[in-house]
Amino acid sequence: MTGLFTPIAPDRTTDLASAVLTDDNRLIVIVIAAVALAALVVAQILVRQVLAADEGTDSMKKIAAAVQEGANAYLGRQLRTLGIFAVVVFFLLFLLPADDWNQRAGRSAFFLVGAIFSAATGYIGMRLAVRANVRVAAAAREATPAEGEPAKDLTEVSHKAMKIAFRTGGVVGMFTVGLGLLGASCVVLVYAADAPKVLEGFGLGAALIAMFMRVGGGIFTKAADVGADLVGKVEQGIPEDDPRNAATIADNVGDNVGDCAGMAADLFESYAVTLVAALILGKAAFGDLGLAFPLIVPAIGVVTAMIGIFAVSPRRTDRSGMTAINRGFFISAVISLVLVAIAVYAYLPATYKELVGVENPAITNHSGDPRILAVVAVAIGIVLAALIQQLTGYFTETNRRPVRDIGKSSLTGAATVVLAGISVGLESAVYTALLIGLGVYGAFLLGGTSIMLALFAVALAGTGLLTTVGVIVAMDTFGPVSDNAQGIAEMSGDVEGAGAQVLTDLDAVGNTTKAITKGIAIATAVLAAAALFGSYNDAIATAVREVGAK
C-alpha cells in the first residue's frame, strides 16, 4: 500500500489532458441525461398515484396537517440558514486554484446546483411523505368494515396500504438517482475533459446540504422519539402514540425530517460524490472511455430501479411485506448486473493498449482484460449491497432468531432487553464492517500492480452499489411513512382491530427497511471516500509532476 500514499510513484505518471470527450461518448452522455429525465417523469407518475388515494376521516386529516406543519417549519428554517452558507461558499470557491476562470465559474455554479439538488431531494421526499402517511392509514382503515358491511379481505387491504407507502418511497428514489445522474451528465456535456474538476463543486454542494440535513434531522428525530417515550411510556404508562402525549407530533415530525429528508439527502450526496470520484479516476485510468463509462453503470441502475419499484407488488403467498420488498430489490440487482455486463463488453476494448487517451505505461502495458475488471468491480458493489441487505434483515426482521431472542429476554426484565439489544446490534455491526472492508479490498486487488486501476476499480464498485440506490431510497422512505401512518391511526382513534394490526405489521417492516438503508448508506460512503482519496492522491501527483517540470 506504500504507493497509495506516495504521489510520485512511477505507475502514477498520467497525462490527463490527453483524454477528450469524443462525439460517440457525447451521444452516450446525452442518452444518459435523457434516462435521468425519465426518472423524474416516473417520479411524477408515482406522485399522482399516491395522491389519488383517500385521506381518511377529518380527525386523521387534522393530525396529518399538524405533522406537515411541523416538518415544513423545521426544514424551511434549516434550508434558509443553509442558503446563507451556500452563498458564502459559492464565492469562496473562486479563491481556490483552477486552470482558468471558466473552471472556477463552473465549479462554483455547479456547487449551487449540487446544493439545490440535494435540498430538493430531501424536501420533495419529505413533502410527499407527510401527505402519504395519512393515506396509508386510510387504506388500512378499510380492513375494519362498517356496521352491516361484509368482512374485508385483509390481505388485499394490507397490500394496498403497503403499495402506497412503497411508491411514496419510489418517488424519493427516482428523484435521488434522476437528479444525481442529470447533474453529472450536464457537467460532462458542458465541460468535457475538464468535467472532473468542475464536478468537485457539484459533489461539495451535495455534501454540504446533506451533512446538515442528516445530522440535524437525525438529532431532531432521536430527541423527539426519546422525549415522547420518556413522557408517555415511562412516566405515564400510556401507548407510544397516545393523543394525550404532546410530544407525539414531534416524534412523527422527526421521522420525516430525519429518516426521510435527511437520509434522502445523505444518499444523494453519496451518489453524487461517488460519480465525481469515478469520473476523475475514470479519466485517468480509461482515458476517453472513462469520461462516459462511469455514468453508464448508474444509468442502468436508474432503469432497473424503475423495474424494481414497480416489482414490489405483494402476493398472497408472501410471508411478510419484506418478502415483496426483497423480491423487488433482487430483481433490480440481477437485471443491473446482466445489463452492466452487456454494456461493458459492448463498450470497452479487450486490452488496455486499446484505451485511447491513456499514456500511463503502467496501464497501457497492463496484462488482462479491462472488461473483466469493470464487470467484476461493479459486481462487487452489487453483491455487497445484496449481502448487507440480507444481513441487516436477518438481525432486524421480527420473524428471525435475533429479534425473537430479544423478545424472550423481556421475560426477565427491561435491563435484560437492553443488554440483549446492544449485544445483537454490536454483533451485526461487526459482520457489516467486515463485508464493507472485504468489498473495498477485493475491488482494490483487481488493479494488480497499477494503483490507478485499483482505485478506479474501487470507484466502479461504488457505481455498482449505486445501481441499487433507487430501490434502497424507496425502502428508506417506506419506514417513516408506515411509522407515521400508525401514529395517525392511534391518535385519531379511527383505525381499530384488523386495520390497526395491518399498520403494526407495516411499521415492523418499515423498521427493517430503515436499518437496511443505513447499512447501505455507510457502505456507499466508505467506497466513495476511498475513491475520493484516490482522486485526491492523483491530483497531488499531477501537481508535483507539473512543479517538477517547471
Side-chain angles (χ1 to χ4, degrees):
M1 294 290 287
T2 303
L4 182 60
F5 297 93
T6 308
I8 54 175
D11 71 298
R12 295 188 60 80
T13 304
T14 54
D15 182 8
L16 300 186
S18 60
V20 296
L21 184 66
T22 63
D23 290 339
D24 290 341
N25 283 341
R26 186 178 297 277
L27 179 60
I28 290 174
V29 177
I30 291 174
V31 172
I32 291 171
V35 170
L37 290 173
L40 302 182
V41 172
V42 171
Q44 183 60 33
I45 294 173
L46 292 174
V47 168
R48 291 182 179 179
Q49 291 180 356
V50 170
L51 296 183
D54 180 54
E55 293 183 75
T57 65
D58 291 339
S59 177
M60 294 166 65
K61 293 177 184 178
K62 182 179 179 181
I63 296 169
V67 176
Q68 293 170 23
E69 181 182 2
N72 288 330
Y74 170 83
L75 210 56
R77 174 68 268 179
Q78 186 180 58
L79 291 178
R80 285 196 300 272
T81 303
L82 288 177
I84 299 173
F85 283 98
V87 172
V88 172
V89 175
F90 170 82
F91 289 105
L92 288 177
L93 286 176
F94 280 100
L95 303 178
L96 296 180
D99 293 342
D100 52 48
W101 275 98
N102 187 41
Q103 287 184 16
R104 291 174 191 262
R107 184 174 57 196
S108 292
F110 275 95
F111 162 79
L112 288 182
V113 172
I116 292 171
F117 280 7
S118 182
T121 300
Y123 184 80
I124 292 172
M126 184 273 306
R127 179 82 174 172
L128 182 62
V130 295
R131 299 175 69 188
N133 50 21
V134 68
R135 289 168 166 81
V136 174
R141 184 171 177 267
E142 297 176 7
T144 305
E147 186 176 350
E149 290 184 354
K152 299 295 182 68
D153 186 334
L154 294 184
T155 303
E156 183 177 339
V157 172
S158 177
H159 291 176
K160 179 181 178 181
M162 180 181 174
K163 189 174 291 186
I164 294 172
F166 194 82
R167 294 199 171 178
T168 301
V171 173
V172 191
M174 288 294 97
F175 268 102
T176 300
V177 297
L179 292 178
L181 194 59
L182 180 63
S185 300
C186 288
V187 175
V188 173
L189 286 174
V190 175
Y191 289 93
D194 291 331
K197 299 178 182 178
V198 176
L199 275 170
E200 295 169 357
F202 181 71
L204 179 61
L208 175 70
I209 300 299
M211 179 180 67
F212 285 95
M213 292 185 71
R214 185 73 186 103
V215 175
I219 293 173
F220 183 105
T221 185
K222 297 310 173 190
D225 193 356
V226 173
D229 287 346
L230 288 176
V231 172
K233 291 189 289 187
V234 177
E235 293 183 0
Q236 301 299 322
I238 59 179
E240 180 176 0
D241 293 310
D242 194 292
R244 292 170 292 177
N245 188 347
T248 299
I249 293 295
D251 184 11
N252 283 273
V253 169
D255 291 333
N256 290 286
V257 300
D259 290 329
C260 182
M263 182 59 79
D266 186 20
L267 285 169
F268 176 84
E269 178 264 340
S270 294
Y271 194 93
V273 168
T274 302
L275 288 181
V276 170
L279 284 166
I280 292 173
L281 294 170
K283 180 182 176 183
F286 277 18
D288 296 356
L289 301 180
L291 287 172
F293 180 68
L295 296 177
I296 293 176
V297 178
I300 290 173
V302 171
V303 176
T304 56
M306 298 177 191
I307 298 173
I309 289 169
F310 285 104
V312 178
S313 181
R315 302 172 183 172
R316 291 185 177 274
T317 55
D318 290 343
R319 184 177 57 182
S320 68
M322 201 64 217
T323 303
I325 293 175
N326 285 339
R327 182 168 55 247
F329 175 86
F330 282 105
I331 288 174
S332 175
V334 171
I335 295 176
S336 293
L337 188 56
V338 172
L339 292 181
V340 166
I342 294 172
V344 165
Y345 278 85
Y347 184 72
L348 296 179
T351 64
Y352 288 95
K353 292 183 182 296
E354 298 176 65
L355 292 172
V356 179
V358 178
E359 297 183 1
N360 183 348
I363 296 177
T364 56
N365 296 331
H366 194 278
S367 60
D369 190 333
R371 298 173 299 183
I372 295 177
L373 178 144
V375 170
V376 175
V378 172
I380 287 175
I382 296 175
V383 171
L384 177 61
L387 291 176
I388 292 176
Q389 197 254 18
Q390 286 297 292
L391 178 66
T392 308
Y394 172 75
F395 280 99
T396 56
E397 288 183 37
T398 55
N399 56 357
R400 299 296 186 94
R401 183 181 61 81
V403 176
R404 291 202 307 268
D405 289 346
I406 294 175
K408 292 177 183 177
S409 67
S410 64
L411 299 175
T412 56
T416 313
V417 175
V418 172
L419 291 175
I422 291 174
S423 62
V424 170
L426 292 176
E427 181 185 359
S428 66
V430 170
Y431 302 132
T432 302
L434 286 174
L435 284 176
I436 295 173
L438 288 173
V440 174
Y441 184 66
F444 191 85
L445 290 179
L446 294 175
T449 58
S450 173
I451 299 297
M452 178 57 67
L453 286 178
L455 292 170
F456 184 49
V458 173
L460 285 179
T463 62
L465 201 150
L466 293 184
T467 63
T468 67
V469 164
V471 179
I472 290 296
V473 176
M475 292 167 60
D476 178 68
T477 305
F478 174 87
V481 170
S482 57
D483 190 351
N484 272 203
Q486 187 179 36
I488 291 172
E490 188 169 328
M491 281 186 282
S492 67
D494 292 335
V495 184
E496 301 175 343
Q501 185 59 46
V502 167
L503 292 176
T504 298
D505 294 340
L506 282 183
D507 188 26
V509 174
N511 288 330
T512 298
T513 60
K514 286 191 289 186
I516 289 172
T517 53
K518 288 177 175 63
I520 299 293
I522 292 171
T524 308
V526 170
L527 289 170
L532 276 177
F533 180 79
S535 62
Y536 167 77
N537 195 37
D538 179 71
I540 296 298
T542 303
V544 170
R545 187 170 59 254
E546 291 176 352
V547 170
K550 293 179 180 179

